[in-house]
Amino acid sequence: MKYFPTVDSKVDFKSIHFEECINSDYIKPTRMKYIENGKKKVWDIIDSHDSVSIILYHQDFDSFLIVRQFRPAVYAKNQDGYTYELCAGLVDKKDKTIEQIASEEIFEECGYNVKVNDLKKIGSFFASTGISGSKQTIFFATITEENKLTMGGGIDDECIDVLFLPLSKAQEFINDESIAKTPALAYAIKWYMDQSKKE
């Protein structure tokens, strides 16, 4: 089932090639040695930034505002690489709170102005526990077209598609295993539906 208009791929798939990652601004591999129950063990770890993500409910359209982007690590697994996700970003600005970073990401990726005080924290979770153990904090915000300032799409060389997922299609969407999506997206939609039942 197609939930959104077809989006032309921005990636030149013929240009893709792989090489060894010797140094990176985003990750740092390290090896941990320890003893558990008297047995020596070794575990390889990727040190990476924590992140924030935001589930946005658009009141005017009765839809979730989500993003679609190309993820090289997913491409290496499925030869497609496009995933549907929450608006999100790295916690890599030491002079800003995670709420401020979340607000900035909403504006940069989706084009909507959401004030820090209008963000509701859903919770924090450890992701990729087998390799990085990075923490992701998920927020919720309600938006309308009055909040819209730009088309979004990211900054610098980011290529982010901004899409609407109708609330009426959301459960079917998260159950469809043929669609590449993140666990945070599925969790946040389920959270919203559970909250709606309580009201």
Side-chain angles (χ1 to χ4, degrees):
M1 171 177 284
K2 291 187 182 295
Y3 298 91
F4 312 104
T6 302
V7 180
D8 292 333
S9 173
K10 297 180 182 73
V11 174
D12 177 0
F13 286 94
K14 293 180 181 178
S15 71
I16 294 174
H17 71 281
F18 295 89
E19 60 185 42
E20 183 181 3
C21 179
I22 298 173
N23 53 53
S24 171
D25 293 332
Y26 303 100
I27 62 171
K28 179 182 178 183
T30 187
R31 179 164 290 160
M32 180 174 137
K33 295 183 178 181
Y34 62 106
I35 297 174
E36 184 178 30
N37 292 338
K39 184 177 179 180
K40 291 183 179 179
K41 294 187 175 182
V42 176
W43 198 271
D44 293 337
I45 302 168
I46 299 294
D47 183 21
S48 61
H49 291 290
D50 290 339
S51 63
V52 293
S53 61
I54 312 95
I55 179 168
L56 298 166
Y57 173 71
H58 199 297
Q59 282 185 321
D60 297 341
F61 304 145
D62 193 23
S63 297
F64 297 110
L65 187 65
I66 64 175
V67 299
R68 176 183 182 267
Q69 56 187 317
F70 179 76
R71 295 296 194 180
V74 176
Y75 174 85
K77 295 290 185 180
N78 72 359
Q79 268 58 78
D80 175 66
Y82 283 98
T83 60
Y84 295 93
E85 311 175 12
L86 296 174
C87 168
L90 297 176
V91 178
D92 57 357
K93 303 177 181 79
K94 294 182 180 179
D95 60 331
K96 295 185 177 179
T97 65
I98 57 173
E99 290 83 3
Q100 289 172 323
I101 293 172
S103 179
E104 283 185 358
E105 292 296 335
I106 295 169
F107 177 70
E108 292 171 1
E109 292 191 3
C110 302
Y112 287 76
N113 179 35
V114 175
K115 296 177 181 177
V116 168
N117 292 339
D118 292 330
L119 291 167
K120 176 180 180 178
K121 182 179 176 181
I122 295 177
S124 295
F125 309 89
F126 286 98
S128 302
T129 54
I131 189 147
S132 72
S134 59
K135 182 187 286 187
Q136 182 172 87
T137 301
I138 304 178
F139 293 96
F140 166 77
T142 299
I143 57 174
T144 68
E145 280 301 273
E146 290 184 2
N147 298 102
K148 187 172 182 178
L149 298 180
T150 72
M151 294 299 294
I155 58 172
D156 300 325
D157 60 352
E158 289 183 316
C159 298
I160 298 172
D161 296 312
V162 182
L163 307 165
F164 291 101
L165 171 62
L167 180 59
S168 61
K169 297 285 187 181
Q171 186 64 55
E172 185 178 2
F173 176 84
I174 61 176
N175 289 341
D176 190 339
E177 294 185 5
S178 70
I179 299 172
K181 64 189 95 53
T182 61
L185 173 59
Y187 172 84
I189 289 174
K190 180 72 165 56
W191 172 87
Y192 180 87
M193 291 179 170
D194 289 343
Q195 295 300 306
S196 298
K197 292 175 184 176
K198 295 176 183 178
E199 296 176 356

